[in-house]
Amino acid sequence: MTETAQAVATAVRDCPECGASVADGGRYVTWCAACDWNVDPEVRDEEPPGRVERLRRRLARRGGEQLLAELTETEDRGTSGEADGAGPPGAGGKRRGAAGILAVGLAVAVHGVTLALLVGGLWLVVAGWGEGFLPAFGALGIGLAVVLRPRFHRLPKGETHRPVLRRPDAPRLFALLDEVAQSVGTTGVDAVVIDADTNASVSTYGVRQRRVLHIGLGLWEILTPQERIALLGHEFGHYSHGDTRRGLLVWNAFLSLDTWRYTLAAQRAESLTDHFVNVVTAPPRLLVDGLLVLLEHLTLHDSQRAEYRADSAAARTAGTDAAAGLMDRLLISDGVTGELARESVAARTRIGGARREDPAEGLWARLAAHAASVPEHEYERLRRVAERRGHQVDSTHPPTHLRRRRLTRGARVEARIVCAPPRVAEVDAELAEVRRSVARELVRR
């Protein structure tokens, strides 16, 4: 028996609720699988701050359940191609089309306000020059328009904690990315950004909308090679399936409305003037909140469907088991983030003996070992807790337990791409220096 097994599976006790035998969880929670006694002992307030963000999460949870039922019904009728976006849209597709058109129209209106501020500000400055405060109001309008202007994603420049890789820097990695992209019906990326996050994403950058993949080593390093393929399949699946929210027009509308919310946010009232300003800004603040919720509602169905489709792409690329395993790793992401923080602190102290010459040496290996030591009964507990709490990656994603349920129901899917050990070693070798650089910066910061 390994040390990990000895540390986890030790004493057995009776459940105080149902009397079933319960194994001592060791450094993990002791709970009863028969009646769920002590399955969720921590009292947490997982509701995010802010009225709009809480509403976003509630909408996402409700929408995720409704959409899963819709997709399940479609697949049970034998039209899974439509559910994954490979076939013609049905009635649900028409509704999404109408919602998408309304979302684009609302985004155009939001950007129209920005344009009106710019034009009006310029007119006040030019026509009202020398006429009291008119030029000042014009300058204020121009300044707001500059802040609210549509933006393009940009790549990090000279940031040691977020290095950027191009094709000549890591040809084997990019070859793997191209293969995964081709397997889900799209093309590869032009750049890869690496950092210490426990997340991954795809987006575009620059005026020409080039593609970029963001890999967070906090997530990448705890995945098995096949789960990494599933992660890449999921991310590239976003390129091959439309998502109104990710479009440049709508995405910038969200940014503009969030900027308005920040600008109009109520201030702590410490004087009569503060009270007056809060009262005056209340109507536009409520209007902005309403527009944000409306845009959220119009894009949510399309966005969540894109997530489910991306999960299907992950399963087709890496196999059902790897895609479901990726969902499990998402459940321990908070614990991994905490472990990463503890490891980075311990790496620059004298814990466990003399301080290393390079305090970041072995950081990712220790993080991977921590994730690998999590026993199956803890994953099962986390799955049940996730279902109780409605765990989500963020407010735009369907609940994680629903995503996993959709992957594991029905027949298993075999992997299209199997990453053999020699190929894993080649990709790891290309990332070795970047991994060291990110780890050193994480420890330093």
Side-chain angles (χ1 to χ4, degrees):
M1 181 179 290
T2 65
E3 293 183 7
T4 300
Q6 291 174 346
V8 174
T10 52
V12 176
R13 54 185 289 189
D14 291 336
C15 171
E17 293 290 335
C18 68
S21 297
V22 176
D24 184 0
R27 63 190 179 102
Y28 297 98
V29 174
T30 300
W31 63 288
C32 178
C35 69
D36 277 356
W37 166 78
N38 205 43
V39 70
D40 190 12
E42 299 181 40
V43 179
R44 294 189 204 166
D45 181 12
E46 290 204 338
E47 286 295 314
R51 179 176 62 253
V52 172
E53 188 62 23
R54 288 194 295 270
L55 183 57
R56 279 175 169 172
R57 284 192 176 266
R58 283 196 292 271
L59 286 173
R61 291 171 184 174
R62 190 185 312 126
E65 293 172 355
Q66 294 172 349
L67 184 55
L68 178 62
E70 175 188 325
L71 293 174
T72 301
E73 181 181 357
T74 302
E75 291 165 357
D76 288 343
R77 290 201 304 265
T79 54
S80 59
E82 294 180 15
D84 288 338
K94 294 178 182 177
R95 289 195 299 272
R96 293 195 306 278
I101 292 172
L102 289 174
V104 170
L106 181 55
V108 170
V110 170
H111 296 311
V113 172
T114 303
L115 180 61
L117 283 171
L118 177 62
V119 174
L122 289 172
W123 183 82
L124 287 176
V125 170
V126 174
W129 192 260
E131 299 291 334
F133 292 102
L134 290 181
F137 287 125
L140 178 61
I142 294 172
L144 278 174
V146 170
V147 172
L148 297 167
R149 73 190 186 281
R151 289 175 169 82
F152 298 103
H153 285 292
R154 292 183 297 178
L155 291 180
K157 292 184 178 180
E159 298 181 15
T160 55
H161 66 291
R162 298 181 69 197
V164 178
L165 297 178
R166 308 279 187 171
R167 288 184 177 271
D169 302 321
R172 292 177 178 82
L173 171 64
F174 275 86
L176 177 62
L177 299 182
D178 289 341
E179 185 178 351
V180 173
Q182 185 178 9
S183 74
V184 300
T186 187
T187 56
V189 295
D190 299 286
V192 177
V193 177
I194 310 288
D195 61 22
D197 289 350
T198 52
N199 197 7
S201 63
V202 289
S203 61
T204 56
Y205 68 94
V207 177
R208 299 178 63 181
Q209 293 294 278
R210 296 184 181 276
R211 293 181 168 188
V212 59
L213 169 68
H214 158 233
I215 295 177
L217 292 177
L219 177 59
W220 181 264
E221 295 294 336
I222 68 172
L223 302 179
T224 66
Q226 208 58 27
E227 288 167 355
R228 293 175 182 176
I229 300 298
L231 176 67
L232 297 176
H234 175 93
E235 296 305 332
F236 280 110
H238 282 299
Y239 283 135
S240 58
H241 299 120
D243 183 353
T244 306
R245 191 192 299 260
R246 289 174 180 262
L248 194 63
L249 189 69
V250 175
W251 175 74
N252 270 291
F254 272 112
L255 284 184
S256 293
L257 289 172
D258 281 335
T259 303
W260 275 115
R261 285 188 68 216
Y262 176 80
T263 304
L264 298 170
Q267 304 299 315
R268 178 181 295 178
E270 298 180 348
S271 66
L272 187 60
T273 302
D274 294 334
H275 282 290
F276 176 75
V277 170
N278 287 341
V279 170
V280 170
T281 57
R285 185 165 60 247
L286 292 174
L287 174 61
V288 169
D289 284 352
L291 290 174
L292 262 174
V293 171
L294 177 59
L295 191 57
E296 189 82 26
H297 181 71
L298 291 173
T299 59
L300 180 63
H301 193 276
D302 190 32
S303 180
Q304 292 201 330
R305 181 179 289 270
E307 290 296 336
Y308 280 129
R309 287 173 172 175
D311 288 339
S312 296
R316 291 195 304 271
T317 305
T320 299
D321 293 342
L326 175 61
M327 295 297 107
D328 287 340
R329 301 301 178 268
L330 296 178
L331 295 179
I332 65 170
S333 59
D334 288 344
V336 168
T337 301
E339 184 67 20
L340 189 58
R342 287 189 292 272
E343 279 288 348
S344 63
V345 171
R348 58 177 182 263
T349 65
R350 297 182 181 275
I351 295 177
R355 182 170 178 169
R356 303 177 181 89
E357 285 187 22
D358 185 352
E361 189 66 34
L363 180 65
W364 302 118
R366 294 192 298 277
L367 183 69
H370 164 76
S373 71
V374 178
E376 173 57 30
H377 70 77
E378 176 65 9
Y379 276 117
E380 177 59 28
R381 186 187 74 84
L382 292 173
R383 293 181 200 120
R384 300 190 188 191
V385 172
E387 185 166 358
R388 289 184 170 208
R389 298 183 183 179
H391 174 275
Q392 298 165 264
V393 173
D394 59 34
S395 62
T396 68
H397 284 64
T400 306
H401 73 279
L402 297 181
R403 297 170 62 191
R404 191 181 193 281
R405 183 186 304 169
R406 181 167 183 262
L407 287 169
T408 55
R409 66 180 294 273
R412 292 174 64 257
V413 178
E414 295 300 325
R416 291 180 180 177
I417 300 175
V418 177
C419 204
R423 193 174 192 184
V424 174
E426 290 175 350
V427 173
D428 284 346
E430 288 185 339
L431 294 177
E433 185 55 40
V434 171
R435 292 166 73 245
R436 280 192 291 269
S437 174
V438 173
R440 287 169 186 158
E441 189 65 19
L442 180 67
V443 171
R444 189 185 68 81
R445 290 162 64 94

